[in-house]
């Protein structure tokens, strides 16, 4: 009886949260929804700027780059109709399409491309993606439709990185890019443009008729802010939203309504325990990470947390062309973990926890409180570590303290070039290396792989990179996480076989082609 009451109370709380966060009975915080409007249950946004902030599905709708990725994640022309590379001068020449405009009707020219790249490279702007562009030497614009980008050395992934959304120079020149109003009133050249942004409620976008790829079919797309997992499920059931990324635990319940198709999509998105090598414990004993990796039962985590919708992770690029299947995978072996610790001088104290030189093997695994999957993973990992004598605990926090925490459940992974989410994550002091991990051989291997055109040589370098990681693990890799999207059955155009990126981003790659039938 108590259990039934508690479950009912949870459902009521979820409904109240849903209503408070997003309003009720409409897709746009009170405006009536027409038949050609798609309402997506989205994370919250405080700022939108592709040159500064990498994460966020909404960039795909509002912005366009010189290149783009197709359903197979191959690089294709976008704002640029063509490009070539002069090996002798290390210069890319991009030819823009004629007649390009931003959402405000102003022309989009080569000067805007130059402005965007220089904004990313300006260290004062603290761009999350600066490491992708540090090989740029000079940028010249001989005319409005031509951009010449000279590199310091070959960067094979450069065409991939030119998919970055182009910013309007006429609105941003002279502004502080990190603090200006543009980040709350973004203007791009993507298939949709901002119509209204109700903070913490919804972002309403209408189709951009002059989009280079052709006029989109769906008139209006609303990103309704529903950050809570339970609230998303409630709003899908009530019909307040048409589409949302959901967890495996709620997918079956939503599918049983009969109104939604569940797209179970493969991703290159992995989860791992990321150790802070500037914290007292892991700074003093960095070798712990290898031993601890044997203490984690990945299959149990996938079964319990992901309900089987994922794969055991052992490498940051195992979903790509250069995966090394022959490396040490740190399969679950708690006895080996104990043996490695004891061989290294760790002994159990009276409480049954390992200690060495007066230091107890004790740490906290942090996880973002709005991501239930990460919270559940943190708890399971802590429990598994406790069983072998590690005094580990888990905590859910609204934000992570990268400098002060012991470790956390992190997520990375890209379906694009192998350089993406490796160089900037594992290279010493790179833009997304939040853990203080430093390995000179890793630095060299990733730099050489980035700057090598010979595919066989790149493959060899990336395989060696993965082998080298296993000698001094930066993370304990846990699982690749499948992405479940619940979508109203009358919405068509989604490519279910596209491999998605971090946070399941990429499903909207062809939003301009989607339709709402009948």
């Amino acid at each position: 009886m108590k259990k039934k009451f508690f479950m009912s109370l949870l459902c009521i709380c979820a409904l109240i949260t849903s209503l408070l966060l997003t309003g009720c009975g409409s897709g746009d915080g009170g405006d009536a929804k027409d038949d050609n409007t798609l309402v997506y249950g989205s994370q919250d946004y405080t700022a939108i700027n592709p040159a500064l902030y990498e994460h966020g599905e909404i960039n795909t709708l509002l912005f366009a780059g010189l290149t783009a990725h197709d359903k197979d994640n191959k690089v294709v022309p976008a704002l640029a109709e063509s490009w070539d590379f002069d090996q002798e001068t290390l210069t890319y020449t991009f030819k823009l399409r004629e007649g390009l405009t931003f959402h405000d009707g102003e022309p989009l020219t080569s000067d805007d491309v130059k402005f965007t790249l220089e904004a990313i490279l300006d260290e004062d702007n603290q761009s999350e993606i600066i490491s992708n562009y540090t090989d740029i030497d000079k940028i010249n614009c001989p005319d409005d439709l031509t951009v010449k980008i000279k590199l310091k050395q070959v960067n094979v992934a450069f065409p991939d990185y030119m998919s970055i959304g182009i910013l309007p120079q006429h609105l941003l020149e002279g502004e502080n890019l990190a603090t200006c109003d543009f980040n709350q009133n973004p203007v791009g050249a993507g298939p949709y443009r901002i119509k209204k942004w109700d903070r913490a409620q919804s972002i309403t976008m209408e189709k951009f008729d002059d989009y280079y790829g052709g006029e989109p079919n769906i008139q209006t797309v609303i990103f309704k802010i529903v950050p809570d997992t339970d609230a998303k499920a409630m709003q899908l059931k009530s019909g307040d939203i048409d589409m949302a990324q959901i967890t495996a635990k709620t997918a079956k319940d939503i599918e049983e309504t009969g109104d939604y198709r569940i797209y179970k999509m493969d991703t290159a998105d992995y989860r791992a325990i990321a150790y802070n090598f500037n914290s007292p414990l892991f700074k003093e004993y960095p070798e712990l990470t290898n031993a601890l990796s044997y203490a984690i039962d990945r299959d149990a985590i996938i079964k319990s947390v992901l309900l089987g919708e994922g794969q055991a992770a052992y490498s940051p690029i195992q979903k790509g062309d250069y995966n090394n299947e022959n490396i040490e995978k740190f399969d679950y072996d708690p006895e080996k973990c104990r043996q490695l610790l004891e061989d290294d001088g760790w002994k159990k104290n009276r409480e049954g926890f390992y200690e060495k030189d007066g230091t107890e093997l004790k740490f906290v695994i942090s996880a973002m409180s709005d991501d239930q999957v990460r919270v559940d993973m943190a708890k399971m990992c802590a429990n598994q570590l406790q069983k072998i004598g590690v005094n580990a605990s888990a905590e859910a926090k609204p934000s992570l303290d990268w400098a002060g925490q012991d470790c956390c459940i992190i997520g990375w992974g890209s379906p694009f070039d192998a350089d993406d989410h490796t160089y900037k994550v594992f290279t010493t002091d790179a833009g997304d290396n939040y853990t203080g991990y430093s390995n000179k051989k890793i630095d060299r291997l990733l730099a050489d792989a980035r700057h090598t055109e010979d595919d066989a040589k790149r493959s060899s370098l990336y395989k060696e990179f993965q082998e080298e990681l296993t000698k001094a693990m930066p993370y304990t890799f846990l699982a690749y996480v499948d992405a479940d999207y619940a979508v109203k059955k009358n919405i068509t155009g989604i490519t279910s076989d596209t491999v998605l990126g971090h946070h399941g981003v990429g499903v909207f790659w062809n939003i301009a082609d989607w339709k709402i039938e009948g």
Side-chain angles (χ1 to χ4, degrees), residues 253-509:
D253 199 25
I254 299 301
E255 190 170 26
E256 287 177 351
T257 67
D259 297 325
Y260 296 88
R261 176 179 174 185
I262 306 299
Y263 290 82
K264 297 182 182 296
M265 303 182 73
D266 190 14
T267 80
D269 185 22
Y270 66 83
R271 298 291 175 268
I273 303 173
Y275 302 97
N276 179 9
F277 293 97
N278 291 316
S279 69
L281 179 65
F282 295 110
K283 186 174 184 178
E284 181 70 20
Y285 305 106
E287 68 279 359
L288 280 169
T289 61
N290 277 39
L292 296 175
S293 293
Y294 286 109
I296 302 302
D297 187 345
R298 293 160 184 80
D299 290 339
I301 290 172
I302 292 168
K303 182 178 180 180
S304 176
V305 179
L306 303 179
L307 299 187
E309 295 188 10
Q311 305 83 42
Y314 55 84
S315 161
I317 55 173
Q318 76 188 61
K319 290 295 188 79
D321 295 334
Y322 304 130
N323 181 40
N324 187 347
E325 296 181 350
N326 299 316
I327 62 172
E328 174 60 52
K329 296 181 174 65
F330 295 89
D331 293 329
Y332 182 49
D333 191 343
E335 186 54 42
K336 186 168 186 176
C337 176
R338 292 188 188 96
Q339 190 64 53
L340 288 171
L341 290 174
E342 291 170 11
D343 288 348
D344 198 34
W346 293 88
K347 297 179 180 180
K348 287 191 176 180
N349 58 25
R350 291 180 180 179
E351 288 73 35
F353 297 119
Y354 283 106
E355 65 176 33
K356 179 180 178 180
D357 300 329
T359 298
E360 187 174 70
L361 185 42
K362 179 180 181 179
F363 56 88
V364 178
I365 307 172
S366 303
M368 291 287 289
S369 56
D370 64 351
D371 190 327
Q372 193 59 48
V373 166
R374 296 194 195 200
V375 172
D376 291 345
M377 284 182 170
K379 290 177 179 178
M380 282 199 70
C381 288
N383 181 261
Q384 291 172 2
L385 289 162
Q386 285 266 349
K387 289 179 179 179
I388 66 157
V390 177
N391 192 358
S393 58
E395 65 174 0
K397 302 178 67 176
S399 61
L400 296 177
D401 177 8
W402 292 107
Q405 66 194 10
D406 297 321
C407 57
C408 70
I409 302 297
I410 203 168
W412 286 116
S414 170
F416 306 137
D417 190 274
D419 183 80
D420 195 18
H421 288 206
T422 54
Y423 184 90
K424 66 183 177 184
V425 173
F426 299 110
T427 299
T428 302
D429 296 329
D432 285 334
N433 183 346
Y434 301 131
T435 64
Y437 181 74
S438 182
N439 183 317
K440 289 183 178 179
K441 189 169 182 180
I442 292 291
D443 294 348
R444 178 182 62 78
L445 288 168
L446 289 177
D448 289 349
R450 165 179 274 201
H451 301 135
T452 301
E453 288 186 292
D454 185 292
D455 192 63
K457 188 174 181 181
R458 283 194 97 203
S459 177
S460 176
L461 287 165
Y462 278 119
K463 288 183 177 181
E464 188 179 355
F465 152 71
Q466 292 167 85
E467 183 70 44
E468 193 65 26
L469 274 187
T470 67
K471 298 176 183 178
M473 293 286 279
Y475 299 165
T476 291
F477 294 100
L478 302 177
Y480 279 83
V481 182
D482 296 345
D484 285 355
Y485 279 91
V487 185
K488 279 278 183 68
K489 288 183 175 179
N490 65 335
I491 297 172
T492 62
I494 296 170
T495 55
S496 58
D497 55 348
T498 296
V499 178
L500 304 181
H502 185 38
H503 292 307
V505 168
V507 71
F508 286 103
W509 75 271

